[in-house]
Amino acid sequence: MNINFVIPCLLGMESLIAGELKDFGAENVTSENGRVLFSGDENMLARVNICSRYAERVQILVGSFEAKSFEELFQGVKALAWEEWIGRDDAFPVKGYSINSTLFSTRDCQSIIKKAVVERLKSKYHGEWFDETGPVHQIQFAINKDLVSMLIDTSGFGLHKRGYRLDANDAPIKETLAAALCNISHLKPYHKFYDPMCGSGTILIEGALMAANIAPGIRRNFAAERFDVIDRSVWKEERERAKSLEREAHDFEAFGSDIDPKAIEIAKVNAQRARVAHMIDFKVADVKSFRPLTDRGTLICNPPYGERMLDISECEVLYKSMGMAFEQKHGWSYTIISPDEEFETAFGRKADKRRKLYNGMIKCQAFMYFK
């Protein structure tokens, strides 16, 4: 079965996801703002859910069409083959959004789409009522400039929820963004890896998972595992495949520190849950006193800002102390994510490269120093 898919993602992550999909063997990979499209079979559906480090979720693209009226929306949805995915007893709630479109009422669109899917399934299953007691097939609609995309979610919880972070400090970085920072910093399995403001340890844990090539979703479940149209053996095969690709990263060492003792305790527990605690050394320390234990290193950090800081002047003081602690020397690279456009001034030197990324809804820059 050839299936068309959509991956919604944080802005700035599209190229990382596209490259990852090509490595997985996906076909027809195309990037758009905030999403990546591709195609593949049931194994690819499971593979991306289990192995993707950067995707937010994996959605089946049931179909797309133009609609400028509610009648066009109804008929367009009704024409799609929902019965190929949704069984007689399955639940199929509807949610979504509409932007820059003639049909702007999300609630009305939601109601019409639900009715259209019901009418389609009534004609296929020859019934007048659906109890919806079976597995959830979350229908999602995206209407942008009058183009309607009708989707079914396969992931359930967002893919950033790996399962290891049951506890976190205030305003933690998303796991998908943490993994992206490791990617753009060219973190390797033989690197010495530092985060001197590690909080709950997310960046270090994602780096360790990457170094050992451990699939981030290998120990969690997904909504599509309950879909009757997908054989259970597919998920078993893909987990075994992912497991076979893991490696021993004997030369990899990670060092995490934070001024908050409670954060360090949370980070240690999270690393244990992710099964990478043996790869990371945690300690309580102030970033101002950062002293590396190795001659070379890759440092990535997400310093406090916004709701996690009292005012701009405190940010400037912190950035200045970071600039003094993070010495410019051969064999070292530093990646610091911040929404502050004046970061370089406070830090004390201009970045060798900047990359735009979003931390949730906050527009940030990854300031990269490697020369």
Side-chain angles (χ1 to χ4, degrees), residues 204 253-257 268 277-283 293:
L204 293 164
E253 292 180 277
F255 305 91
S257 56
K268 287 178 178 178
H278 63 289
M279 303 171 71
I280 309 172
D281 179 39
F282 290 105
K283 68 176 182 179
L293 301 173

Side-chain angles (χ1 to χ4, degrees), residues 110-160:
Q110 187 176 10
S111 176
I112 287 164
I113 288 168
K114 181 73 174 186
K115 290 176 183 176
V117 176
V118 168
E119 289 302 311
R120 173 76 185 201
L121 295 180
K122 281 167 65 173
S123 68
K124 296 298 177 180
Y125 293 125
H126 309 292
E128 290 298 313
W129 180 258
F130 297 94
D131 291 325
E132 297 192 48
T133 55
V136 174
H137 292 57
Q138 178 67 62
I139 294 175
Q140 296 183 273
F141 65 89
I143 308 176
N144 189 359
K145 297 179 181 177
D146 299 326
L147 181 65
V148 182
S149 296
M150 294 304 308
L151 310 142
I152 295 176
D153 176 57
T154 72
S155 300
F157 292 117
L159 295 182
H160 69 278

Side-chain angles (χ1 to χ4, degrees), residues 199-201 263-273 277 281-283:
S200 53
I264 290 298
E265 289 307 309
I266 291 172
K268 287 178 178 178
V269 172
N270 289 342
Q272 288 170 354
R273 289 199 189 102
D281 179 39
F282 290 105
K283 68 176 182 179

Side-chain angles (χ1 to χ4, degrees), residues 20-41:
E20 185 179 52
L21 289 170
K22 290 172 184 175
D23 289 341
F24 292 159
E27 300 176 342
N28 305 314
V29 179
T30 306
S31 299
E32 299 178 356
N33 281 340
R35 68 179 197 168
V36 182
L37 290 77
F38 69 102
S39 60
D41 59 9

Side-chain angles (χ1 to χ4, degrees), residues 41-320:
D41 59 9
E42 298 95 328
N43 280 77
M44 187 57 61
L45 183 157
R47 185 175 303 170
V48 178
N49 271 298
I50 292 167
C51 298
S52 178
R53 300 188 189 280
Y54 319 114
E56 289 303 306
R57 58 181 61 253
V58 181
Q59 300 169 328
I60 296 164
L61 179 61
V62 182
S64 58
F65 54 89
E66 188 177 73
K68 295 183 179 180
S69 69
F70 288 129
E71 178 62 20
E72 288 178 338
L73 179 64
F74 181 88
Q75 295 300 336
V77 173
K78 186 181 175 184
L80 299 177
W82 295 101
E83 68 281 359
E84 291 183 0
W85 295 103
I86 301 173
R88 177 67 179 80
D89 299 318
D90 292 338
F92 50 99
V94 177
K95 65 180 181 180
Y97 65 87
S98 178
I99 55 174
N100 303 322
S101 299
T102 307
L103 303 176
F104 58 85
S105 171
T106 300
R107 182 174 294 181
D108 288 341
C109 291
Q110 187 176 10
S111 176
I112 287 164
I113 288 168
K114 181 73 174 186
K115 290 176 183 176
V117 176
V118 168
E119 289 302 311
R120 173 76 185 201
L121 295 180
K122 281 167 65 173
S123 68
K124 296 298 177 180
Y125 293 125
H126 309 292
E128 290 298 313
W129 180 258
F130 297 94
D131 291 325
E132 297 192 48
T133 55
V136 174
H137 292 57
Q138 178 67 62
I139 294 175
Q140 296 183 273
F141 65 89
I143 308 176
N144 189 359
K145 297 179 181 177
D146 299 326
L147 181 65
V148 182
S149 296
M150 294 304 308
L151 310 142
I152 295 176
D153 176 57
T154 72
S155 300
F157 292 117
L159 295 182
H160 69 278
K161 295 187 176 181
R162 322 293 206 200
Y164 65 76
R165 197 170 75 179
L166 303 184
D167 296 309
N169 61 325
D170 293 338
I173 192 170
K174 237 180 184 180
E175 293 88 333
T176 42
L177 178 56
L181 290 172
C182 292
N183 179 302
I184 65 174
S185 301
H186 303 292
L187 184 66
K188 298 291 188 292
Y190 51 83
H191 278 187
K192 312 308 176 188
F193 182 32
Y194 292 82
D195 182 355
M197 286 175 281
C198 67
S200 53
T202 306
I203 293 174
L204 293 164
I205 292 169
E206 289 298 320
L209 291 173
M210 188 179 293
N213 205 34
I214 298 171
I218 198 164
R219 295 185 183 93
R220 58 157 282 182
N221 296 315
F222 306 94
E225 289 188 69
R226 299 188 66 205
F227 290 8
D228 289 338
V229 294
I230 300 175
D231 197 288
R232 302 292 189 274
S233 64
V234 167
W235 297 92
K236 184 174 183 291
E237 288 172 15
E238 288 303 320
R239 284 194 171 90
E240 288 174 350
R241 175 190 174 276
K243 190 71 180 173
S244 72
L245 295 174
E246 292 180 9
R247 61 185 170 227
E248 294 287 343
H250 294 298
D251 296 328
F252 180 85
E253 292 180 277
F255 305 91
S257 56
D258 198 280
I259 197 170
D260 182 1
K262 183 181 177 182
I264 290 298
E265 289 307 309
I266 291 172
K268 287 178 178 178
V269 172
N270 289 342
Q272 288 170 354
R273 289 199 189 102
R275 303 187 185 182
V276 294
H278 63 289
M279 303 171 71
I280 309 172
D281 179 39
F282 290 105
K283 68 176 182 179
V284 178
D286 191 330
V287 67
K288 295 175 186 175
S289 60
F290 174 70
R291 296 293 181 273
L293 301 173
T294 57
D295 293 332
R296 294 171 176 265
T298 300
L299 186 151
I300 305 172
C301 64
N302 174 37
Y305 49 79
E307 68 274 16
R308 304 192 312 177
M309 292 295 288
L310 294 175
D311 55 43
I312 294 172
S313 62
E314 282 196 339
C315 286
E316 292 176 349
V317 170
L318 175 62
Y319 297 156
K320 184 177 180 180

